[in-house]
Amino acid sequence: MNPAAIMLTGLSEATPLLLAALGEMIVERSGRVNLGVEGMMAVGAAAAAYAGVYTGSLAASLAFGALAACLLALVYVVAVVILGLDQIVVGLILVFMGKGLADIIGSWAGGAPGTPLTPIPGLGIDLVETASLALPPILWLILYHSWLGVELRAVGEDEEEAAARGINVRLVRGLAVLVGAALAGIGGAYVADAFHYGRWFSGVTEGLGWIAIADVILGYWHPLGVLAACYLTGLLFAVKPLLPVLGVPAELVDAAPYLAVLAAQVVATVICRRLGLTPPASVWWGELTG
Amino acid sequence: MKASAALALLAGLVGIVVVAAMTPAGPAGLFSALATVYTRPDLLATAVLYAGPIAASAVGLAVAYRAGFLTIGSEGQVLLGALASMWVIGYSGLRLPPVLAVASALLLALVAGLLLGLVVGVLRAWLGVNETLSSLMLNYIVLAYANYLIAGPWRVGAFTETKSIPPSCSLAWPVVLACLLAMAVVLEVLVRRTRLGLAVEALGAAPRAAETYSLPSRRLYLYVSALQGATAGVGGALMLMGFQRVLTAMSVSPGYGYMGILVAWMALLSPLASLLASYFFSTLIVAGYILQSYRVPFNTVLVIQSIIVLAVLAYVMIGRRSRRP
């Protein structure tokens, strides 16, 4: 493989991570953590495959992926945002619920090929990749240069103050969770449609949701930072087939991306502590490690 | 408020019926499968075996979560424990008599789980690395390593699988139950009756305050992470010698360690209650195997378990709130 091809593969591997991570970043900026990304991506992939197989439409496939993840996230909205249950526990529950539901919905599709997502001729990247590359700058504009972004961050930084200024905290948080879920769902749909010809199998998105959450931290809760973190982890997956040639022992090849993310997480934590940086949002991260 | 607490349970039941209706078996099929499990002594005994890795994970997690140490590494620790036991019995070259082989398999699994748990604890205590994510990455690293062993050095025969452990090293359900009871009782006493338990409780309730009152929070994180890893490691041995017997290539982890997380929360972080909750979850697993013959995906069980935990937590939460003046 030549370097250009690896870069392109890396971009494609990074796309589902980027979509999910940007979604989680929005949630965390609103002051909550949704650990259920893994479950939402799984459901997104299964619903996308099912819709793709039965409608034959790529748009329907992606839309159903987003919708299914939103429906799952409604559980989080009711339990955490409205009832006030522990966000960590509910997030974990969402992971298991999502994986199970994905297996049920995926079994309806029966492993048939659905709607493959192929690169735009002459451009080398597909529609979703293009859109996901446009997303970080757009989110940057929204977060830092619009009233919507100010409201979202205000809710995240100091919810009592935000409420006193007349912001509906629950509404903002609920919407943030649903937008985050939609993005994770599309991320899952992308895995099925772009990597597996719209076909679904159990565990098709395995592990990606967790790496996306790590990428939010590695990207320091900033849209452009998250873009960089996701692209680098995408590259890790892209170079995986080359590792044996480079002399990496066989027992480490499959574990390599996870080892690298773990190492990056350790280094990032240490650096942030040395510099006295705390997470910008009032998320559990700061609460627990500060 | 009592009505809304009951509503949480009702919503859970409706959720289970809806999920069952999404599968080929339907709600009737689900409930009849459960009825079958609860009326057949042999299936009830099998359920004890499957409860092994779940309960072993849950009792340790309950203690860790009390300390606010939110690890989800039990999955990888169970798998590593199983690998350690498999090595002792099948690949170490030691020709131990069965009783000794079983005992050393349990011991090595415990040590393996403990060390892996300690990695998470050390990263958290000294470097402040978030334990949820680090433990999760370790789960995938162990999974990749297991698959490497199974497809590579440990592979025997035409399929991608290891040797099977001999019948003399299989554990009967009373042995599994005894192991679980011992761990649960020790940890329950630790949590409720010892100074360490009190310190764990204080650390979980208010980490900053605990630091102010000079609780050794670093050392406490190390203790709970080691303890949690050790019980999950034993769970791996119980899984291998209780029912698994042979390891095959896996695209996804077996999942018993993850179920332990659900169980610990459902049992409201009590080690003894975790035992009961694990057994209940385990009967659901056996029902899930019956339902597989109706082409119901096995992970349907996972959805039902999640709904039950969520309903119980909502019920408890609403109940607590309404009692407050």
Side-chain angles (χ1 to χ4, degrees):
Chain A
M1 272 207 292
N2 60 328
I6 293 176
M7 305 281 263
L8 267 185
T9 316
L11 186 61
S12 160
E13 296 277 0
T15 300
L17 294 173
L18 180 59
L19 287 164
L22 288 173
E24 179 67 11
M25 184 200 73
I26 296 172
V27 178
E28 295 194 9
R29 280 294 179 130
S30 84
R32 283 292 172 271
V33 168
N34 182 358
L35 287 184
V37 184
E38 178 83 13
M40 299 189 295
M41 288 184 89
V43 160
Y50 175 68
V53 167
Y54 282 94
T55 64
S57 146
L58 184 62
S61 168
L62 294 174
F64 263 82
L67 186 70
C70 282
L71 284 176
L72 181 62
L74 269 184
V75 172
Y76 183 94
V77 173
V78 171
V80 175
V81 179
I82 297 175
L83 284 177
L85 256 66
D86 188 291
Q87 54 174 341
I88 302 302
V89 184
V90 176
L92 289 175
I93 289 177
L94 231 56
V95 172
F96 306 126
M97 229 180 230
K99 283 188 180 186
L101 283 171
D103 280 8
I104 297 177
I105 297 168
S107 72
W108 300 344
T115 46
L117 185 57
T118 47
I120 302 166
L123 198 58
I125 61 174
D126 59 53
L127 210 62
V128 177
E129 277 179 280
T130 316
S132 72
L133 279 180
L135 210 49
I138 293 174
L139 278 178
W140 174 74
L141 275 178
I142 293 177
L143 269 181
Y144 296 101
H145 297 281
S146 79
W147 59 268
L148 195 64
V150 172
E151 261 193 19
L152 182 79
R153 287 186 296 134
V155 168
E157 298 291 344
D158 191 338
E159 62 172 280
E160 279 168 24
E161 190 66 23
R165 298 281 168 102
I167 299 176
N168 187 338
V169 173
R170 281 183 176 174
L171 183 70
V172 170
R173 263 192 194 137
L175 286 178
V177 170
L178 291 180
V179 170
L183 286 172
I186 297 174
Y190 183 82
V191 173
D193 286 342
F195 299 161
H196 303 285
Y197 306 99
R199 203 189 292 268
W200 179 88
F201 57 88
S202 186
V204 65
T205 56
E206 190 67 24
L208 294 179
W210 293 107
I211 293 186
I213 295 178
D215 280 339
V216 177
I217 304 165
L218 295 177
Y220 204 66
W221 294 271
H222 190 288
L224 304 178
V226 170
L227 171 65
C230 289
Y231 185 61
L232 288 177
T233 33
L235 267 183
L236 281 174
F237 280 98
V239 298
K240 206 170 83 174
L242 298 180
L243 291 179
V245 188
L246 296 171
V248 174
E251 56 263 56
L252 290 179
V253 169
D254 278 331
Y258 299 103
L259 275 168
V261 172
L262 179 61
Q265 195 200 341
V266 173
V267 171
T269 310
V270 171
I271 290 178
C272 283
R273 282 197 141 191
R274 281 281 154 80
L275 297 177
L277 290 173
T278 50
S282 62
V283 290
W284 57 305
W285 239 264
E287 200 70 41
L288 285 174
T289 56
Chain B
M1 275 314 258
K2 226 175 204 165
S4 63
L7 208 61
L9 296 185
L10 189 68
L13 194 63
V14 171
I16 290 171
V17 170
V18 169
V19 168
M22 287 165 72
T23 68
L30 171 70
F31 291 117
S32 83
L34 264 178
T36 310
V37 175
Y38 277 95
T39 47
R40 276 184 45 186
D42 60 325
L43 294 182
L44 287 173
T46 307
V48 177
L49 297 178
Y50 282 98
I54 305 174
S57 303
V59 292
L61 287 170
V63 179
Y65 292 163
R66 275 173 185 266
F69 185 75
L70 297 171
T71 175
I72 45 180
S74 47
E75 182 67 29
Q77 291 146 1
V78 167
L79 196 51
L80 193 66
L83 291 177
S85 309
M86 180 53 102
W87 180 79
V88 169
I89 297 171
Y91 295 91
S92 62
L94 305 166
R95 305 211 170 274
L96 299 169
V99 177
L100 214 57
V102 168
S104 31
L106 278 168
L107 186 69
L108 199 68
L110 182 143
V111 173
L114 185 146
L115 291 177
L116 193 59
L118 213 48
V119 171
V120 183
V122 166
L123 286 177
R124 171 75 166 88
W126 265 280
L127 300 175
V129 177
N130 178 281
E131 69 275 13
T132 311
L133 278 176
S134 65
S135 61
L136 196 280
M137 296 301 154
L138 286 172
N139 289 347
Y140 284 107
I141 292 166
V142 174
L143 177 65
Y145 187 64
N147 276 326
Y148 158 77
L149 284 177
I150 293 161
W154 283 10
R155 180 174 173 159
V156 284
F159 300 102
T160 329
E161 57 180 36
T162 60
K163 293 178 191 168
S164 303
I165 61 165
S168 60
C169 288
S170 300
L171 298 180
W173 70 266
V175 182
V176 173
L177 185 62
C179 282
L180 295 178
L181 257 177
M183 287 195 290
V185 169
V186 167
L187 291 181
E188 186 77 31
V189 169
L190 183 140
V191 162
R192 303 223 182 263
R193 291 273 180 269
T194 64
R195 287 170 69 177
L196 179 60
L198 197 65
V200 159
E201 203 80 23
L203 183 64
R208 296 242 169 89
E211 204 130 319
T212 311
Y213 290 102
S214 64
L215 269 179
S217 59
R218 279 187 177 172
R219 215 186 312 155
L220 283 173
Y221 283 131
L222 292 187
Y223 287 160
V224 294
S225 63
L227 209 63
Q228 180 276 324
T231 67
V234 171
L238 297 180
M239 172 176 95
L240 188 77
M241 298 188 288
F243 57 91
Q244 194 74 33
R245 296 203 174 87
V246 55
L247 296 171
T248 50
M250 306 161 260
S251 61
V252 185
S253 234
Y256 301 105
Y258 287 134
M259 280 185 199
I261 300 171
L262 288 175
V263 163
W265 290 108
M266 177 167 157
L268 307 178
L269 307 186
S270 150
L272 265 182
S274 296
L275 226 53
L276 281 178
S278 304
Y279 188 68
F280 172 54
F281 270 30
S282 181
T283 58
L284 284 173
I285 291 178
V286 179
Y289 281 123
I290 297 177
L291 287 174
Q292 266 188 322
S293 57
Y294 297 93
R295 292 157 45 83
V296 175
F298 180 71
N299 273 344
T300 307
V301 171
L302 210 50
V303 187
I304 293 170
Q305 291 171 338
S306 309
I307 294 175
I308 293 170
V309 177
L310 199 58
V312 168
L313 290 180
Y315 175 80
V316 172
M317 167 98 182
I318 296 170
R320 259 186 211 156
R321 237 188 239 159
S322 62
R323 242 177 285 135
R324 212 180 289 154

